[in-house]
Structure formats: structure tokens, C-alpha cells
Amino acid sequence: MKGICVLILISICKSTTAFYTRQSPDGSPNTHETITQEGTKQALSSYIWENKLKQTGSKNTAVDDFFKNDATSKIEMKKAINTIVQAITNTQVDKEKKAYVHCHADQILLAHQHVISCRDKLSQLKKDVVVLRKQLGECLYTVQSFYSNTNWVEMYGDVPYKDFGIKGKTLMAVASPDEDTCNDVTNIDADCGQNIKVQNKLTSGYHHGRGNTKPTKTQGAPAGKCSHGGPDDESRTMVAKCGINKETPTERLSPHFYLHEQAYLAAIAATTDFLTMNDTGILKMLGSKTFDEIFNIKTREDVSLAFVIDFSGSMKEEIAAVREKIIQHVTATIGSDNEPADYVLSLFSDPVTLNKAFVERDGYEMIERIKNITVAGGYDCPEFASDGISRAINISRNGSTIFVFTDADAKDANRQQELTDAAITKRIIISPFITGTCARGRRAIQYVKRKDTASFFRRLAKATGGKVHRTTKEEISAVLNDVIEKTFPVGGVIVDAFNWSRTSSNNVMFAVDSSITALKIAVCCPGADSGVDLFYPNGTRETFASRISRKLFTTRHEVIMSLQVCTFSFSIKRCKRYQRDI
């Protein structure tokens, strides 16, 4: 391919009926997404501080404190919240024509009843947390829209209306269908600030095209029903002209723009109350177990990433595949919050005196261990697998998963119960990858397997909660990639990807902001003597001599450059004498 291919995410802003869901056309950060994120964060902070941390530490930092050793679980929590945000987005679009869902057209009592009904549905969905999250998003959309679309904030500021959407509570008076609620104005672009006519009762604006039609008044009449307002609302040109929405801080979009921040804060507080209010929050209604499941409030233990590898002569291809995946995974997690506590490598063969095991806290040291594996032992069968697994169990942390790689049967299969007991005691899962057995495969000397040996790995995996992955030498790389990512997800993102051809510039620049804690640059596949280097903006070349920066070369001729805590612009350069496609 000639040139650079860049993936770009394009967001298209539609007209809105309440706060914008994810992106406001004026660039305001205050949307349903940020309301949900902040309101949920406040609710979860209090909940975790009181129930998980037993009021130790600070309530304000409780979420970070709870997940400080398990960034992967924190990512899962954020995914759950994003699912709820998506449900809010879907509600705004799918129920566009239902005025009460948006608190439009004085349908505030119907909105109140809708939230009550929505809340009741949540209690019926406790066994299906996926659907429950979607229903929760629908509830929160109306709860949050109340503050941008009604005149509550004009009367009471940034405090939430604690009776709204609560069963058994009677709402304050709502303007009647024939009651004028807004004064007419001359300039709909600038004179909307004090246009609300009614006092001490609730009202909301009409929005043509949103399932409601504003009552017609004669031009020149002093007052009429309020409009929602904004350039996409045709009713804003009818008496009473203008509008009252507070969905953005920009006057041309929101007639009551000056109250946007108060509406935003009230919506955040209402979101928090909906989740964890002492008597009415869904926490009390659903219980802590379901609440934990909704938001993935759980942590994994500080665990080891453990590999038990048959390093006899026939395992050359499997070892190469494992080596590649270790390098790929470790370089993506070193220095990040997703890095395992340590790495375990146990090697087994025959005779048992060849067996050895290591534990490394430094991921780069683990990479060197893997890279330096030299196959040992003959091509005969079987091998001392139990001894290798036992060594790994002994030095792995509680709750770890051990991946076993072999193409042979276990010579010491009689130790299965011993291994099972030891693994269960430490809550260790054993997941073998089998590419052959002694009765079939590529071993030079065939071995007729005994009945107890044949089922050794299957029974060991089943007893410890693992799974046997039967694959081939050719396919093991793809299978391992999927399994290890599910067990130890990287939690990173691809910032950019492009093709670097021989006709491209030899200097490619890119920026990295402060949100990146670990940066991985992979260039495939110029080979070890590639002439590919990394430079800072001042022209200094990164030498990769420190613990926090490394340059590696894989057996498939890939160059990997890894750095920690980066807040700079960089450029990748390639010497002109190398004219191969990258």
C-alpha cells in the first residue's frame, strides 16, 4: 500500500431533546455521558467506602483505592458504565416522539410516573444484568432530562428534586393545559432570560417534532406556552417565543444557557440519589449483590502470569509461539496498572533433573528467560509434566492461572491428586495446551499411552476450573492469544496504525499525551538490523538503556519499542539505506 492509512472516529451531532448524550455542538463537556459518569462515580465512591473499605481511607478516592491493584477490573467497571450511557443514548433516539420521556410539553406528571414504572422494572430484571443496565439507562435519561427541560432549576437551583420519580410521592403543582407559562419576547436570540411567567409550579417547554404540538396563540399575544428552544425547535418562533432549555452553556442553543451549570450539577446529584439514596436508591431495592454485578464492583487478586513448558526437542514450534505472545503481552503491560504481580516460568522434560523453574517480577527479565529457552532432551515420550506443574504451583501466587504447553503425555501422571490438592489450596487454575500425545504426533519414538495418562490433563483441568485446549503446532499462536487476553487483558488502546512503504517518508511523527502510562510501538517487519529508531522533539535519540524503556526484536522480525509514562511528541526514523517495505 502506498502511503499511510489512519483510522478516524467521526462523531455526528444530532439535534437533541435534553442534555446532549456524548458530544455537544458547542464543545461543552457537560452531557448525559459525563453526568452519568460523575453521578455514578459519586454513588460508587460512597458505596465502596462504606461497604468495601469499611470507611477506611478517603471517600473521595474510594474507587481508585479499591481498584488500585487491579486496573483490569476497574476497566470492566468503566465498561459497565459505558453500557448504561449507550442505553441513555438509545433512549433519546428510540423514544424521540414520546414527550413525557424527555419531560416536554408540561407532561411532567407522566414523566414522574414513567420513572416510577421504570424503577419497578429494574426489580424484575435482577437475574439478567445485561438487560437491567439497559433499563437503568432508560430510567436515568428521564431523571437527568428533568433538569435541562423543566423550570425546576429556575426555582431551586442546583439541588435535585428528591420526590421526582419516587412511588408514593406527590409532585408539586404542574401548569394546567390551558395556562400560559411563558411571556412573549421580542428578540428570540437574546431576550429569553426572564421569560417564565408561572411561579411556584412546574412547567416545561414544547418541542415541535418531538411528539407534541404547541398550542397556537395569536401573534402579539403577551404570553403562551413555553418552548423548548434552540435552532431545531420550530415552536420557538410561536407565542410565547423563545424557550427555556438549559442543555448547553451557549445562548443560541439554549435560551436559559446561564443556568446550564446548575442544571448539570442537579442532574449529577439526582443520578447519585437514584443509585444510592438511603431509602429510595436502587441499591436498597436490588441489594448489594446485584448492585455489584451491575457495575462490576469486584477485584481480582494480585496474581502471577505462569507458564509451564515442555522444552523437549519436539516442542520448538510451540516454544516459538509462546515466546511471541509473551513478548507481545508483556511489552503492552509493563509499567501499566495491568501488569501482573510477577511472572512464573517452569520448564520440564526427561530426565527430571533437567526440570527448572523461575519467578521474575520484571517483565523484561521474563522475556529474556523465554527468549533463551533451548530445547533439551530427546524426542522420546513421555515427559515429567507433573514435576513441572508442581514447581509452578509452589511459586505462583494464590488465584493465578497456570498455562501448560506440551505435545506429550505425563510420565508422572500418578501425581495428579497431589497436584489437584495443591492447586485447589491456592485457588490456582490449570489450563493445558495440548498439541500431541505420545501415541500420535511428531515424536520420533512412539509411546503407547496408558489409560490413566490419557486423561491426566483433562482431569487436572476440570478439577481446578481450567480447560484443555487441544490445538496444533500451527494454530497454537492464535488460540493462546485469545486465551491469555481473556485471562490477563491488556486494557490498552491502539492510538494509531499505518503502513510504512518504501515510498513513504523516513520520518514519522506522533504525539503522546499524559493519559498514556505505557507506550508500545511495534514496527513489522524490517528485521533486527532495521535502522528504525525513536527520537524526541529536540532531536535526541532514545537509547533504550534504562529500566523504563526497551527495544526488542522478535523471531518474526518485528521491532518493539516500549516506554513508560510518556508525555512527549515522538518521531520514528528509518535510515535511508534500508528500503524494504515495513
Side-chain angles (χ1 to χ4, degrees):
M1 180 174 180
K2 307 295 185 183
I4 297 174
C5 178
V6 182
L7 180 64
I8 302 174
L9 178 64
I10 301 175
S11 297
I12 301 175
C13 296
K14 291 184 62 178
S15 59
T16 186
T17 55
F19 292 105
Y20 284 81
T21 51
R22 292 185 184 272
Q23 184 177 0
S24 174
D26 64 345
S28 169
N30 299 345
T31 62
H32 279 290
E33 179 177 33
T34 54
I35 289 168
T36 304
Q37 290 171 342
E38 185 59 33
T40 301
K41 178 183 177 181
Q42 292 180 15
L44 298 187
S45 292
S46 295
Y47 169 70
I48 290 173
W49 183 70
E50 293 174 4
N51 297 278
K52 307 294 184 180
L53 302 181
K54 307 303 180 184
Q55 299 187 3
T56 58
S58 168
K59 184 186 294 187
N60 294 332
T61 62
V63 172
D64 292 335
D65 292 343
F66 183 70
F67 289 108
K68 66 180 179 180
N69 294 321
D70 189 3
T72 297
S73 292
K74 188 175 183 179
I75 290 170
E76 292 304 310
M77 180 199 72
K78 290 180 178 179
K79 287 181 181 178
I81 296 172
N82 285 338
T83 299
I84 296 168
V85 172
Q86 185 59 52
I88 290 174
T89 301
N90 294 343
T91 299
Q92 189 177 71
V93 175
D94 297 343
K95 302 202 172 183
E96 181 182 48
K97 304 298 184 182
K98 297 184 181 296
Y100 64 87
V101 172
H102 318 287
C103 299
H104 280 161
D106 284 338
Q107 295 186 19
I108 301 170
L109 180 58
L110 286 177
H112 170 67
Q113 294 168 343
H114 168 67
V115 176
I116 292 173
S117 174
C118 193
R119 189 192 298 264
D120 287 343
K121 290 179 183 178
L122 293 176
S123 63
Q124 301 167 18
L125 297 170
K126 293 177 67 173
K127 294 183 179 180
D128 191 341
V129 71
V130 173
V131 178
L132 197 157
R133 289 188 187 117
K134 294 179 181 178
Q135 185 64 37
L136 177 56
E138 182 176 330
C139 298
L140 287 175
Y141 174 77
T142 301
V143 169
Q144 295 169 3
S145 298
F146 175 83
Y147 300 95
S148 64
N149 292 352
T150 74
N151 64 328
W152 171 267
V153 173
E154 281 81 354
M155 293 188 290
Y156 299 103
D158 61 7
V159 299
Y161 188 11
K162 296 186 180 297
D163 290 345
F164 180 69
I166 302 300
K167 186 181 296 185
K169 297 293 184 179
T170 301
L171 287 188
M172 65 183 296
V174 178
S176 62
D178 58 352
E179 185 175 6
D180 291 340
T181 53
C182 272
N183 294 311
D184 197 42
V185 300
T186 302
N187 185 350
I188 64 174
D189 295 319
D191 296 337
C192 303
Q194 306 298 323
N195 59 333
I196 295 181
K197 176 181 176 64
V198 296
Q199 301 293 325
N200 301 319
K201 61 176 64 175
L202 289 169
T203 188
S204 61
Y206 283 73
H207 194 313
H208 280 191
R210 298 293 186 269
N212 59 93
T213 302
K214 183 176 175 178
T216 302
K217 298 284 285 190
T218 304
Q219 287 294 332
K225 283 295 185 183
C226 297
S227 293
H228 177 73
D232 68 314
D233 177 19
E234 295 178 3
S235 76
R236 73 190 179 109
T237 62
M238 301 168 55
V239 177
K241 294 188 289 293
C242 217
I244 65 170
N245 91 68
K246 296 162 282 294
E247 57 203 25
T248 77
T250 302
E251 188 170 11
R252 67 180 178 83
L253 300 172
S254 302
H256 285 202
F257 67 97
Y258 57 94
L259 294 174
H260 168 72
E261 187 67 21
Q262 293 187 55
Y264 176 72
L265 294 174
I268 289 174
T271 299
T272 301
D273 286 349
F274 189 89
L275 298 175
T276 55
M277 188 73 175
N278 288 339
D279 298 323
T280 59
I282 65 168
L283 169 60
K284 181 175 183 180
M285 179 179 71
L286 300 177
S288 59
K289 182 176 182 297
T290 302
F291 194 80
D292 287 349
E293 290 176 354
I294 293 172
F295 296 102
N296 283 315
I297 305 174
K298 57 185 178 182
T299 58
R300 301 185 313 163
E301 293 184 72
D302 215 4
V303 295
S304 306
L305 178 53
F307 296 89
V308 178
I309 301 176
D310 174 354
F311 74 123
S312 55
S314 64
M315 285 289 292
K316 185 176 181 180
E317 293 175 56
E318 289 90 331
I319 291 171
V322 173
R323 179 186 296 121
E324 287 295 323
K325 293 309 169 186
I326 287 290
I327 292 174
Q328 291 291 334
H329 189 83
V330 172
T331 53
T333 58
I334 288 177
S336 74
D337 293 334
N338 299 301
E339 189 174 11
D342 53 35
Y343 304 86
V344 169
L345 175 62
S346 179
L347 303 174
F348 69 90
S349 185
D350 183 13
V352 73
T353 53
L354 294 175
N355 292 10
K356 47 195 171 184
F358 313 92
V359 58
E360 301 285 356
R361 290 194 62 85
D362 187 323
Y364 291 120
E365 293 300 323
M366 178 61 168
I367 289 174
E368 290 303 312
R369 290 280 187 192
I370 292 282
K371 287 173 67 175
N372 292 326
I373 294 176
T374 302
V375 293
Y379 284 77
D380 59 327
C381 261
E383 312 296 347
F384 283 96
S386 290
D387 181 78
I389 295 170
S390 177
R391 291 170 187 255
I393 292 173
N394 290 339
I395 59 178
S396 292
R397 296 173 182 248
N398 291 354
S400 298
T401 296
I402 294 176
F403 300 108
V404 183
F405 302 88
T406 187
D407 64 353
D409 297 324
K411 193 169 188 176
D412 46 358
N414 60 306
R415 295 181 61 184
Q416 182 203 315
Q417 191 59 51
E418 173 196 337
L419 297 180
T420 299
D421 293 343
I424 290 175
T425 298
K426 297 183 73 171
R427 291 174 285 106
I428 286 175
I429 296 172
I430 300 175
S431 290
F433 288 74
I434 311 298
T435 58
T437 64
C438 293
R440 58 184 176 84
R442 299 184 180 179
R443 294 288 179 143
I445 301 175
Q446 297 295 308
Y447 177 87
V448 179
K449 55 186 179 180
R450 299 187 303 274
K451 183 177 181 181
D452 61 334
T453 303
S455 59
F456 168 73
F457 290 111
R458 177 178 57 79
R459 287 182 290 170
L460 187 59
K462 183 178 180 180
T464 61
K467 179 182 178 181
V468 172
H469 302 274
R470 295 191 178 277
T471 183
T472 65
K473 294 177 182 291
E474 296 76 20
E475 297 175 353
I476 187 172
S477 180
V479 176
L480 176 58
N481 186 65
D482 181 60
V483 173
I484 195 172
E485 177 60 27
K486 289 180 179 178
T487 309
F488 290 90
V490 171
V493 295
I494 298 175
V495 177
D496 197 2
F498 54 88
N499 288 295
W500 203 2
S501 71
R502 63 168 57 94
T503 58
S504 303
S505 168
N506 288 306
N507 185 0
V508 177
M509 298 191 67
F510 56 94
V512 179
D513 64 28
S514 59
S515 66
I516 304 297
T517 58
L519 174 67
K520 173 183 172 182
I521 304 159
V523 183
C524 182
C525 301
D529 188 17
S530 63
V532 177
D533 283 308
L534 189 69
F535 288 82
Y536 293 88
N538 62 3
T540 302
R541 183 172 65 90
E542 173 58 59
T543 60
F544 301 100
S546 69
R547 166 66 181 85
I548 64 172
S549 64
R550 294 293 176 95
K551 186 176 185 179
L552 305 169
F553 306 97
T554 73
T555 54
R556 67 171 186 169
H557 306 300
E558 183 178 39
V559 180
I560 295 177
M561 293 174 279
S562 178
L563 299 92
Q564 297 177 31
V565 193
C566 306
T567 56
F568 308 102
S569 294
F570 295 94
S571 63
I572 321 174
K573 295 184 180 179
R574 134 187 92 182
C575 294
K576 291 184 179 180
R577 67 179 181 274
Y578 296 100
Q579 293 297 322
R580 298 174 59 191
D581 282 345
I582 295 180

